[in-house]
Amino acid sequence: MSFESKSTRPRHSFQTDDKALLPIAAKVEAGERLSFEDGVALYRSGDILAVGWLANLVRERLHGNTAYFNVNRHINPTNVCVASCRLCAFGRKKGEAGTYTMALEEAWETAASGYSEAVTEFHIVGGLHPDLPFEYFMDLVRGLKERFPKVHIKAFTMVEVAFLAKRGKMTIAQTLERMKEAGVDSLPGGGAEIFADRIRHIICDHKIDGSEWLDTARTAHKIGLRSNATMLYGHVENDEDRVDHLLKLRAVQDETGGFQTFIPLAFHPDNTALAHIPRTTGMLDMKQIAVGRLMLDNFSHIKSYWQMVSPKMAQISLRFGADDIDGTVVEEKIYHDAGATTPQGMRRKDLVRLITEAGREPFERDTMYRAVTRSEDTFTVAV
Ligand code: V47
Protein backbone atom coordinates (compact mmCIF):
# COMPACT_ATOMS: atom_id res chain seq x y z
CA MET A 1 0.00 0.00 0.00
CA SER A 2 1.40 3.45 -0.76
CA PHE A 3 0.17 6.72 0.64
CA GLU A 4 0.28 10.18 -0.79
CA SER A 5 2.23 12.65 1.35
CA LYS A 6 -0.03 15.30 2.85
CA SER A 7 2.60 17.21 4.78
CA THR A 8 3.54 20.64 3.50
CA ARG A 9 5.42 21.82 6.57
CA PRO A 10 9.26 22.01 6.49
CA ARG A 11 10.61 19.72 9.24
CA HIS A 12 13.21 20.40 11.89
CA SER A 13 15.89 17.78 12.03
CA PHE A 14 15.78 14.73 14.28
CA GLN A 15 17.68 14.90 17.57
CA THR A 16 18.29 12.30 20.26
CA ASP A 17 20.80 11.16 22.85
CA ASP A 18 19.72 7.56 22.27
CA LYS A 19 22.17 6.21 19.67
CA ALA A 20 20.01 3.12 19.08
CA LEU A 21 17.42 5.40 17.47
CA LEU A 22 19.75 6.89 14.83
CA PRO A 23 19.60 4.03 12.27
CA ILE A 24 15.85 3.78 12.86
CA ALA A 25 15.43 7.50 12.21
CA ALA A 26 17.37 7.11 8.93
CA LYS A 27 14.99 4.34 7.85
CA VAL A 28 11.89 6.31 8.83
CA GLU A 29 13.09 9.41 7.00
CA ALA A 30 13.78 7.27 3.90
CA GLY A 31 10.36 5.59 4.19
CA GLU A 32 11.90 2.14 4.75
CA ARG A 33 10.23 -0.71 6.65
CA LEU A 34 11.34 -1.28 10.26
CA SER A 35 12.49 -4.68 11.55
CA PHE A 36 11.65 -6.69 14.68
CA GLU A 37 14.86 -5.39 16.32
CA ASP A 38 13.92 -1.81 15.43
CA GLY A 39 10.58 -2.29 17.14
CA VAL A 40 12.20 -3.58 20.30
CA ALA A 41 14.71 -0.69 20.30
CA LEU A 42 11.84 1.81 19.98
CA TYR A 43 10.07 0.25 22.96
CA ARG A 44 13.30 0.21 25.01
CA SER A 45 14.14 3.86 24.31
CA GLY A 46 13.61 6.36 27.12
CA ASP A 47 13.55 9.22 24.61
CA ILE A 48 9.81 9.40 24.18
CA LEU A 49 10.05 12.77 22.45
CA ALA A 50 12.38 11.34 19.79
CA VAL A 51 10.20 8.26 19.26
CA GLY A 52 7.14 10.52 19.13
CA TRP A 53 8.85 12.90 16.70
CA LEU A 54 9.45 10.04 14.27
CA ALA A 55 5.89 8.76 14.63
CA ASN A 56 4.56 12.27 14.09
CA LEU A 57 6.64 12.56 10.93
CA VAL A 58 4.93 9.48 9.50
CA ARG A 59 1.52 10.64 10.78
CA GLU A 60 1.86 14.03 9.09
CA ARG A 61 3.10 12.46 5.86
CA LEU A 62 -0.11 10.47 5.72
CA HIS A 63 -2.68 12.86 7.15
CA GLY A 64 -1.13 16.32 7.36
CA ASN A 65 -2.87 18.20 10.13
CA THR A 66 -6.14 16.27 9.96
CA ALA A 67 -7.45 14.43 13.03
CA TYR A 68 -10.44 12.12 12.65
CA PHE A 69 -13.36 11.39 14.96
CA ASN A 70 -16.86 10.01 14.54
CA VAL A 71 -20.29 10.14 16.09
CA ASN A 72 -20.95 6.58 17.17
CA ARG A 73 -22.82 4.55 19.75
CA HIS A 74 -21.70 1.38 21.47
CA ILE A 75 -24.20 -1.42 22.03
CA ASN A 76 -23.26 -4.46 24.16
CA PRO A 77 -26.20 -6.84 23.77
CA THR A 78 -25.14 -9.26 26.51
CA ASN A 79 -22.46 -9.68 29.16
CA VAL A 80 -23.07 -13.42 29.53
CA CYS A 81 -19.89 -15.12 28.39
CA VAL A 82 -18.52 -18.66 28.41
CA ALA A 83 -14.90 -17.51 28.16
CA SER A 84 -13.85 -16.35 31.69
CA CYS A 85 -10.88 -14.31 30.44
CA ARG A 86 -8.63 -13.13 33.25
CA LEU A 87 -8.24 -9.77 31.52
CA CYS A 88 -11.98 -9.04 31.52
CA ALA A 89 -14.33 -7.55 34.13
CA PHE A 90 -17.31 -7.34 31.78
CA GLY A 91 -18.18 -10.99 31.06
CA ARG A 92 -20.18 -13.05 33.57
CA LYS A 93 -21.13 -16.71 33.64
CA LYS A 94 -24.77 -17.59 32.92
CA GLY A 95 -26.77 -17.43 36.19
CA GLU A 96 -24.23 -15.21 38.00
CA ALA A 97 -25.32 -11.95 39.66
CA GLY A 98 -25.18 -8.91 37.38
CA THR A 99 -25.77 -10.68 34.07
CA TYR A 100 -27.96 -9.09 31.40
CA THR A 101 -29.11 -9.96 27.90
CA MET A 102 -31.07 -7.43 25.89
CA ALA A 103 -34.31 -8.46 24.24
CA LEU A 104 -34.20 -7.38 20.57
CA GLU A 105 -36.64 -4.49 21.16
CA GLU A 106 -34.46 -3.34 24.03
CA ALA A 107 -31.32 -3.40 21.86
CA TRP A 108 -33.07 -1.37 19.15
CA GLU A 109 -34.34 1.11 21.75
CA THR A 110 -30.83 1.39 23.22
CA ALA A 111 -29.53 2.20 19.75
CA ALA A 112 -31.85 5.21 19.58
CA SER A 113 -31.21 6.44 23.12
CA GLY A 114 -28.60 8.81 24.50
CA TYR A 115 -27.46 11.92 22.70
CA SER A 116 -29.65 13.61 20.12
CA GLU A 117 -26.82 13.87 17.55
CA ALA A 118 -27.49 11.41 14.73
CA VAL A 119 -24.94 8.61 14.96
CA THR A 120 -23.19 7.35 11.85
CA GLU A 121 -21.95 4.08 13.39
CA PHE A 122 -23.16 1.39 15.77
CA HIS A 123 -20.29 -0.47 17.43
CA ILE A 124 -21.63 -3.82 18.63
CA VAL A 125 -19.66 -6.29 20.75
CA GLY A 126 -20.64 -8.58 23.57
CA GLY A 127 -20.11 -11.80 25.49
CA LEU A 128 -20.01 -15.34 24.06
CA HIS A 129 -23.49 -16.36 25.18
CA PRO A 130 -23.94 -20.14 25.45
CA ASP A 131 -27.62 -20.17 24.42
CA LEU A 132 -28.41 -17.20 22.17
CA PRO A 133 -28.93 -18.56 18.65
CA PHE A 134 -27.08 -17.16 15.64
CA GLU A 135 -30.41 -15.75 14.41
CA TYR A 136 -30.69 -13.51 17.49
CA PHE A 137 -27.60 -11.63 16.31
CA MET A 138 -28.77 -11.55 12.69
CA ASP A 139 -32.22 -10.28 13.73
CA LEU A 140 -30.53 -7.66 15.89
CA VAL A 141 -28.54 -6.39 12.90
CA ARG A 142 -31.47 -6.61 10.47
CA GLY A 143 -33.70 -4.71 12.89
CA LEU A 144 -31.10 -1.96 13.26
CA LYS A 145 -30.72 -1.65 9.49
CA GLU A 146 -34.51 -1.36 9.08
CA ARG A 147 -34.73 1.34 11.74
CA PHE A 148 -31.48 3.19 10.94
CA PRO A 149 -30.72 2.49 7.26
CA LYS A 150 -28.02 5.18 7.02
CA VAL A 151 -26.01 4.00 10.01
CA HIS A 152 -22.90 1.85 9.46
CA ILE A 153 -22.95 -1.36 11.51
CA LYS A 154 -19.51 -2.34 12.84
CA ALA A 155 -20.29 -5.54 14.68
CA PHE A 156 -18.78 -8.65 16.28
CA THR A 157 -15.11 -9.25 16.96
CA MET A 158 -13.18 -12.12 15.33
CA VAL A 159 -13.69 -13.99 18.61
CA GLU A 160 -17.48 -13.65 18.39
CA VAL A 161 -17.46 -14.59 14.70
CA ALA A 162 -15.48 -17.79 15.43
CA PHE A 163 -17.81 -18.63 18.34
CA LEU A 164 -20.98 -18.04 16.28
CA ALA A 165 -19.54 -20.15 13.44
CA LYS A 166 -18.90 -23.06 15.78
CA ARG A 167 -22.31 -22.82 17.39
CA GLY A 168 -24.07 -22.48 14.03
CA LYS A 169 -21.98 -25.37 12.57
CA MET A 170 -20.81 -23.11 9.74
CA THR A 171 -17.42 -22.20 8.34
CA ILE A 172 -16.00 -18.78 9.19
CA ALA A 173 -16.62 -17.68 5.59
CA GLN A 174 -20.27 -18.81 5.69
CA THR A 175 -20.79 -17.03 9.01
CA LEU A 176 -19.31 -13.81 7.71
CA GLU A 177 -21.39 -14.03 4.52
CA ARG A 178 -24.55 -14.42 6.60
CA MET A 179 -23.54 -11.46 8.77
CA LYS A 180 -22.94 -9.38 5.67
CA GLU A 181 -26.35 -10.32 4.21
CA ALA A 182 -28.00 -9.31 7.50
CA GLY A 183 -26.39 -5.86 7.32
CA VAL A 184 -22.98 -5.97 9.04
CA ASP A 185 -20.81 -3.43 7.21
CA SER A 186 -17.44 -3.98 8.94
CA LEU A 187 -15.88 -5.59 12.01
CA PRO A 188 -14.37 -4.01 15.11
CA GLY A 189 -10.81 -4.87 16.13
CA GLY A 190 -11.33 -6.44 19.55
CA GLY A 191 -10.23 -9.79 20.91
CA ALA A 192 -6.76 -9.67 19.38
CA GLU A 193 -5.19 -9.03 22.82
CA ILE A 194 -1.59 -10.30 22.36
CA PHE A 195 -1.07 -13.06 19.82
CA ALA A 196 1.80 -14.88 21.61
CA ASP A 197 0.48 -18.19 23.03
CA ARG A 198 2.44 -17.82 26.27
CA ILE A 199 0.59 -14.59 27.08
CA ARG A 200 -2.76 -15.69 25.73
CA HIS A 201 -2.71 -18.70 28.08
CA ILE A 202 -2.46 -16.30 31.01
CA ILE A 203 -4.87 -13.54 30.02
CA CYS A 204 -7.53 -15.24 27.86
CA ASP A 205 -7.04 -18.98 27.85
CA HIS A 206 -10.49 -19.87 26.50
CA LYS A 207 -10.45 -17.58 23.48
CA ILE A 208 -9.45 -18.48 19.93
CA ASP A 209 -5.67 -18.40 19.56
CA GLY A 210 -3.71 -15.74 17.73
CA SER A 211 -3.54 -17.55 14.41
CA GLU A 212 -7.31 -18.20 14.46
CA TRP A 213 -7.90 -14.49 15.10
CA LEU A 214 -5.66 -13.58 12.16
CA ASP A 215 -7.26 -16.21 9.91
CA THR A 216 -10.74 -14.90 10.72
CA ALA A 217 -9.63 -11.37 9.86
CA ARG A 218 -8.07 -12.63 6.62
CA THR A 219 -11.31 -14.37 5.66
CA ALA A 220 -13.39 -11.27 6.49
CA HIS A 221 -11.16 -9.09 4.32
CA LYS A 222 -11.30 -11.61 1.46
CA ILE A 223 -15.09 -11.49 1.36
CA GLY A 224 -15.04 -7.70 1.36
CA LEU A 225 -15.58 -6.85 5.03
CA ARG A 226 -13.01 -4.45 6.39
CA SER A 227 -11.98 -4.56 10.04
CA ASN A 228 -9.94 -2.89 12.71
CA ALA A 229 -7.18 -4.47 14.79
CA THR A 230 -6.36 -3.98 18.46
CA MET A 231 -3.54 -4.88 20.84
CA LEU A 232 -4.08 -5.10 24.59
CA TYR A 233 -0.99 -3.90 26.44
CA GLY A 234 0.13 -3.21 30.00
CA HIS A 235 -0.41 -6.64 31.61
CA VAL A 236 2.06 -9.55 31.44
CA GLU A 237 3.43 -9.07 27.93
CA ASN A 238 6.96 -7.85 27.16
CA ASP A 239 8.38 -5.66 24.38
CA GLU A 240 9.10 -8.66 22.15
CA ASP A 241 5.49 -9.89 22.47
CA ARG A 242 4.22 -6.47 21.40
CA VAL A 243 6.52 -6.26 18.38
CA ASP A 244 5.60 -9.83 17.40
CA HIS A 245 1.92 -8.80 17.57
CA LEU A 246 2.50 -5.76 15.36
CA LEU A 247 4.48 -7.73 12.78
CA LYS A 248 1.76 -10.39 12.56
CA LEU A 249 -0.81 -7.67 11.85
CA ARG A 250 1.52 -6.08 9.30
CA ALA A 251 1.94 -9.42 7.49
CA VAL A 252 -1.83 -9.95 7.15
CA GLN A 253 -2.24 -6.36 6.01
CA ASP A 254 0.38 -6.95 3.29
CA GLU A 255 -1.78 -9.83 2.07
CA THR A 256 -5.27 -8.33 2.30
CA GLY A 257 -5.10 -4.55 2.85
CA GLY A 258 -8.33 -5.02 4.82
CA PHE A 259 -7.42 -3.41 8.15
CA GLN A 260 -8.61 0.17 8.52
CA THR A 261 -7.23 1.21 11.89
CA PHE A 262 -4.91 -0.03 14.60
CA ILE A 263 -6.07 0.64 18.18
CA PRO A 264 -3.77 -0.08 21.14
CA LEU A 265 -5.91 -0.79 24.23
CA ALA A 266 -4.52 -0.01 27.69
CA PHE A 267 -5.24 -2.78 30.19
CA HIS A 268 -7.66 -1.79 32.97
CA PRO A 269 -7.07 -4.20 35.88
CA ASP A 270 -9.87 -3.37 38.37
CA ASN A 271 -12.35 -6.20 39.05
CA THR A 272 -10.40 -8.61 36.81
CA ALA A 273 -8.45 -11.70 37.89
CA LEU A 274 -5.32 -9.63 37.18
CA ALA A 275 -6.29 -6.81 39.56
CA HIS A 276 -2.80 -6.83 41.16
CA ILE A 277 -1.28 -5.39 37.95
CA PRO A 278 -0.82 -1.61 38.10
CA ARG A 279 -2.53 0.64 35.56
CA THR A 280 -0.56 1.77 32.52
CA THR A 281 1.44 5.00 32.69
CA GLY A 282 1.42 7.95 30.30
CA MET A 283 4.81 6.95 28.97
CA LEU A 284 3.63 3.44 28.08
CA ASP A 285 0.41 4.76 26.52
CA MET A 286 2.28 7.17 24.22
CA LYS A 287 4.83 4.47 23.31
CA GLN A 288 2.10 2.14 22.02
CA ILE A 289 0.69 4.82 19.76
CA ALA A 290 4.11 5.89 18.46
CA VAL A 291 5.56 2.41 17.95
CA GLY A 292 2.31 1.25 16.36
CA ARG A 293 2.50 4.15 13.88
CA LEU A 294 6.13 3.39 13.06
CA MET A 295 5.88 -0.40 12.69
CA LEU A 296 2.51 -0.56 10.89
CA ASP A 297 3.66 1.19 7.72
CA ASN A 298 0.77 -0.38 5.77
CA PHE A 299 -2.03 0.80 8.09
CA SER A 300 -3.64 4.11 7.17
CA HIS A 301 -4.90 4.97 10.64
CA ILE A 302 -3.77 4.76 14.26
CA LYS A 303 -6.51 5.39 16.79
CA SER A 304 -5.94 6.64 20.30
CA TYR A 305 -9.20 5.54 21.89
CA TRP A 306 -9.98 8.32 24.37
CA GLN A 307 -11.99 5.99 26.64
CA MET A 308 -8.88 3.89 27.15
CA VAL A 309 -6.14 6.42 27.68
CA SER A 310 -8.29 9.38 28.88
CA PRO A 311 -9.33 12.39 26.77
CA LYS A 312 -6.19 14.26 27.89
CA MET A 313 -3.76 11.58 26.73
CA ALA A 314 -5.75 11.00 23.52
CA GLN A 315 -5.28 14.69 22.77
CA ILE A 316 -1.51 14.54 23.33
CA SER A 317 -1.28 11.37 21.24
CA LEU A 318 -2.36 13.40 18.19
CA ARG A 319 1.27 14.64 18.27
CA PHE A 320 2.71 11.14 18.89
CA GLY A 321 1.46 9.26 15.85
CA ALA A 322 -2.32 9.03 16.28
CA ASP A 323 -4.64 10.55 13.67
CA ASP A 324 -7.96 9.42 15.21
CA ILE A 325 -9.48 9.60 18.72
CA ASP A 326 -12.64 7.50 18.11
CA GLY A 327 -16.09 8.88 18.78
CA THR A 328 -18.92 9.88 21.06
CA VAL A 329 -19.45 6.24 22.21
CA VAL A 330 -22.41 7.38 24.44
CA GLU A 331 -22.37 4.32 26.72
CA GLU A 332 -19.20 2.33 27.45
CA LYS A 333 -19.39 -0.78 29.65
CA ILE A 334 -16.27 -2.93 29.10
CA TYR A 335 -13.66 -0.58 30.60
CA HIS A 336 -16.05 0.91 33.12
CA ASP A 337 -16.61 -2.54 34.61
CA ALA A 338 -12.79 -2.70 34.83
CA GLY A 339 -12.44 0.60 36.68
CA ALA A 340 -12.24 3.23 33.92
CA THR A 341 -12.81 6.71 35.34
CA THR A 342 -13.41 8.40 31.98
CA PRO A 343 -16.93 9.57 31.13
CA GLN A 344 -19.07 6.91 29.42
CA GLY A 345 -19.46 9.08 26.36
CA MET A 346 -18.48 12.47 24.98
CA ARG A 347 -20.36 15.07 22.97
CA ARG A 348 -19.31 15.88 19.43
CA LYS A 349 -18.37 19.44 20.40
CA ASP A 350 -16.01 18.16 23.12
CA LEU A 351 -14.19 15.90 20.66
CA VAL A 352 -13.86 18.87 18.31
CA ARG A 353 -12.45 20.95 21.15
CA LEU A 354 -9.85 18.32 22.12
CA ILE A 355 -8.66 18.13 18.53
CA THR A 356 -8.67 21.87 17.91
CA GLU A 357 -6.72 22.60 21.09
CA ALA A 358 -4.11 20.05 19.96
CA GLY A 359 -3.61 22.31 16.94
CA ARG A 360 -5.13 19.75 14.58
CA GLU A 361 -8.02 20.10 12.14
CA PRO A 362 -11.07 18.06 13.23
CA PHE A 363 -12.55 15.89 10.48
CA GLU A 364 -15.80 14.10 11.19
CA ARG A 365 -15.58 10.78 9.40
CA ASP A 366 -17.89 7.84 8.92
CA THR A 367 -16.52 4.36 9.65
CA MET A 368 -14.91 4.22 6.17
CA TYR A 369 -13.18 7.60 6.76
CA ARG A 370 -15.46 9.50 4.35
CA ALA A 371 -16.35 13.07 5.27
CA VAL A 372 -19.60 13.58 7.17
CA THR A 373 -21.55 16.82 7.03
CA ARG A 374 -24.41 17.29 9.45
CA SER A 375 -27.05 19.22 11.16
CA GLU A 376 -27.76 18.09 14.73
CA ASP A 377 -30.16 15.27 13.87
CA THR A 378 -29.22 14.23 10.34
CA PHE A 379 -26.04 13.67 8.36
CA THR A 380 -24.70 13.21 4.84
CA VAL A 381 -21.67 11.15 3.86
CA ALA A 382 -19.46 12.30 0.98
CA VAL A 383 -19.08 9.52 -1.62
O1 V47 B 1 -11.59 -7.26 22.90
C1 V47 B 1 -11.56 -6.21 27.70
C2 V47 B 1 -10.56 -5.22 25.59
C3 V47 B 1 -11.84 -5.05 23.74
C4 V47 B 1 -10.44 -5.12 29.16
O2 V47 B 1 -12.59 -1.49 16.47
C5 V47 B 1 -10.10 -4.66 27.89
O3 V47 B 1 -12.99 0.64 16.51
C6 V47 B 1 -8.67 -3.15 28.81
O4 V47 B 1 -12.02 -3.89 20.78
N1 V47 B 1 -8.92 -3.58 30.06
C7 V47 B 1 -13.17 -4.56 23.19
N2 V47 B 1 -9.21 -3.70 27.71
C8 V47 B 1 -13.09 -3.12 22.70
C9 V47 B 1 -12.55 -2.97 21.33
C10 V47 B 1 -12.66 -1.67 20.63
C11 V47 B 1 -12.85 -0.51 21.33
C12 V47 B 1 -12.98 0.70 20.64
C13 V47 B 1 -12.94 0.72 19.26
C14 V47 B 1 -12.76 -0.46 18.57
C15 V47 B 1 -12.78 -0.45 17.09
C16 V47 B 1 -12.60 -1.67 19.25
O5 V47 B 1 -11.58 -4.47 24.98
C17 V47 B 1 -11.72 -6.50 24.01
C18 V47 B 1 -10.49 -6.53 24.87
O6 V47 B 1 -9.36 -6.53 24.08
N3 V47 B 1 -10.78 -5.36 27.02
N4 V47 B 1 -11.36 -6.07 29.02
C19 V47 B 1 -9.81 -4.54 30.29
N5 V47 B 1 -10.04 -4.97 31.52
Side-chain angles (χ1 to χ4, degrees):
M1 195 189 288
S2 69
F3 299 111
E4 198 184 319
S5 174
K6 293 209 177 141
S7 181
T8 48
R9 208 144 54 90
R11 309 279 340 162
H12 305 293
S13 59
F14 177 71
Q15 288 181 347
T16 183
D17 293 333
D18 182 352
K19 289 202 170 50
L21 293 182
L22 294 174
I24 300 175
K27 283 192 193 174
V28 172
E29 291 188 308
E32 286 170 27
R33 181 159 268 199
L34 301 184
S35 67
F36 181 88
E37 291 73 23
D38 294 332
V40 174
L42 286 164
Y43 274 126
R44 300 258 158 91
S45 179
D47 194 349
I48 185 68
L49 290 181
V51 174
W53 189 93
L54 290 172
N56 191 54
L57 178 68
V58 176
R59 181 242 186 268
E60 290 191 0
R61 263 185 206 150
L62 295 173
H63 304 291
N65 210 25
T66 303
Y68 302 90
F69 71 98
N70 73 349
V71 175
N72 62 352
R73 199 204 197 288
H74 283 209
I75 306 168
N76 307 118
T78 179
N79 66 351
V80 176
C81 189
V82 296
S84 304
C85 294
R86 287 193 189 89
L87 67 89
C88 184
F90 170 73
R92 305 239 192 312
K93 284 264 169 291
K94 185 179 158 187
E96 248 177 49
T99 54
Y100 75 86
T101 299
M102 292 179 184
L104 289 174
E105 284 295 342
E106 198 186 340
W108 299 325
E109 273 165 31
T110 301
S113 68
Y115 305 149
S116 63
E117 293 153 345
V119 298
T120 63
E121 171 191 279
F122 292 130
H123 168 115
I124 309 172
V125 301
L128 308 179
H129 196 295
D131 305 325
L132 282 178
F134 182 66
E135 280 311 317
Y136 164 90
F137 295 96
M138 298 307 99
D139 289 345
L140 169 65
V141 171
R142 271 192 289 268
L144 285 173
K145 268 287 177 223
E146 272 166 35
R147 288 162 180 78
F148 310 93
K150 284 173 72 180
V151 178
H152 180 109
I153 299 187
K154 183 181 73 176
F156 314 126
T157 63
M158 305 307 160
V159 177
E160 291 165 271
V161 172
F163 180 76
L164 290 174
K166 208 169 196 177
R167 290 208 53 231
K169 298 192 172 42
M170 292 179 283
T171 63
I172 299 284
Q174 286 165 340
T175 310
L176 287 162
E177 288 288 4
R178 295 272 306 275
M179 282 169 45
K180 207 171 148 186
E181 277 163 27
V184 169
D185 297 302
S186 72
L187 276 68
E193 322 307 6
I194 285 278
F195 294 135
D197 285 341
R198 197 182 84 261
I199 305 301
R200 248 180 144 72
H201 285 320
I202 300 171
I203 65 170
C204 57
D205 206 12
H206 308 290
K207 257 185 196 163
I208 52 172
D209 67 21
S211 57
E212 287 170 304
W213 190 97
L214 290 160
D215 275 344
T216 308
R218 208 181 259 118
T219 309
H221 299 170
K222 284 187 181 153
I223 69 163
L225 284 167
R226 303 205 79 193
S227 81
N228 290 337
T230 57
M231 174 174 80
L232 185 74
Y233 65 91
H235 40 86
V236 292
E237 85 290 2
N238 62 26
D239 293 336
E240 285 81 357
D241 298 321
R242 292 181 197 137
V243 179
D244 172 71
H245 188 95
L246 295 174
L247 293 192
K248 285 185 170 134
L249 289 176
R250 191 170 79 180
V252 172
Q253 182 73 332
D254 276 344
E255 247 179 82
T256 68
F259 288 120
Q260 303 238 89
T261 310
F262 171 66
I263 313 148
L265 299 173
F267 179 53
H268 283 54
D270 293 6
N271 309 317
T272 74
L274 301 171
H276 58 284
I277 294 177
R279 284 178 182 223
T280 63
T281 61
M283 189 83 168
L284 191 65
D285 291 338
M286 285 307 98
K287 272 281 180 68
Q288 306 314 312
I289 295 290
V291 181
R293 179 61 284 166
L294 288 165
M295 297 305 293
L296 297 176
D297 55 8
N298 52 6
F299 275 61
S300 299
H301 301 284
I302 306 291
K303 188 191 283 185
S304 184
Y305 181 33
W306 67 264
Q307 286 273 5
M308 272 291 178
V309 291
S310 82
K312 290 180 182 185
M313 292 304 279
Q315 184 185 40
I316 304 292
S317 69
L318 292 174
R319 299 267 157 193
F320 280 75
D323 57 274
D324 190 330
I325 59 171
D326 202 75
T328 45
V329 181
V330 184
E331 189 183 19
E332 202 293 315
K333 294 184 198 289
I334 298 177
Y335 318 114
H336 286 81
D337 282 353
T341 52
T342 49
Q344 288 223 321
M346 221 193 299
R347 302 305 300 247
R348 184 185 182 283
K349 69 174 173 23
D350 297 321
L351 292 166
V352 167
R353 177 170 164 243
L354 283 180
I355 293 172
T356 310
E357 284 193 8
R360 298 298 194 193
E361 282 160 25
F363 182 106
E364 184 181 341
R365 61 164 178 90
D366 73 346
T367 313
M368 310 310 280
Y369 286 85
R370 294 172 300 202
V372 171
T373 46
R374 66 166 54 242
S375 65
E376 178 87 335
D377 54 2
T378 181
F379 64 86
T380 317
V381 175
V383 271

